């Protein structure tokens, strides 16, 4: 859990760093910096959701995906 929290914060920080580097270093425009920052943030959230949902599925044992039309 701590590793995933730290990794998520690292990726969010890298997103901010990409944006700030684009602003002050003139390596690319600020618009590209925003796109890079948002891409890193989406990647961080996706990895976090994937890691936590996979653990919950294995925790309950016999996991079978539900179909949308099944009602319980």
């Amino acid at each position: 859990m701590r590793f995933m929290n730290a990794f998520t914060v690292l990726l969010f920080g890298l997103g901010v760093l990409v944006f700030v580097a684009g602003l002050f270093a003139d390596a690319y425009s600020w618009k590209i910096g925003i796109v890079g920052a948002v891409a890193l943030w989406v990647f961080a959230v996706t990895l976090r959701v994937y890691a936590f949902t996979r653990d919950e599925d294995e925790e309950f044992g016999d996991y079978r995906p539900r179909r949308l039309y099944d009602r319980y």
Side-chain angles (χ1 to χ4, degrees), residues 17-39:
L17 186 63
V18 163
F19 176 68
V20 170
L23 279 178
F24 295 115
D26 257 354
Y28 41 84
S29 72
W30 64 271
K31 295 173 187 175
I32 299 292
I34 289 177
V35 170
V38 170

Side-chain angles (χ1 to χ4, degrees), residues 51-62:
F52 283 122
T53 56
R54 184 176 51 109
D55 290 343
E56 289 175 3
D57 293 342
E58 291 172 0
E59 179 182 323
F60 291 118
D62 186 27

Side-chain angles (χ1 to χ4, degrees), residues 47-70:
L47 281 178
R48 185 175 183 85
V49 168
Y50 173 74
F52 283 122
T53 56
R54 184 176 51 109
D55 290 343
E56 289 175 3
D57 293 342
E58 291 172 0
E59 179 182 323
F60 291 118
D62 186 27
Y63 174 74
R64 289 172 290 180
R66 285 191 306 179
R67 294 177 294 218
L68 291 176
Y69 51 83
D70 287 341

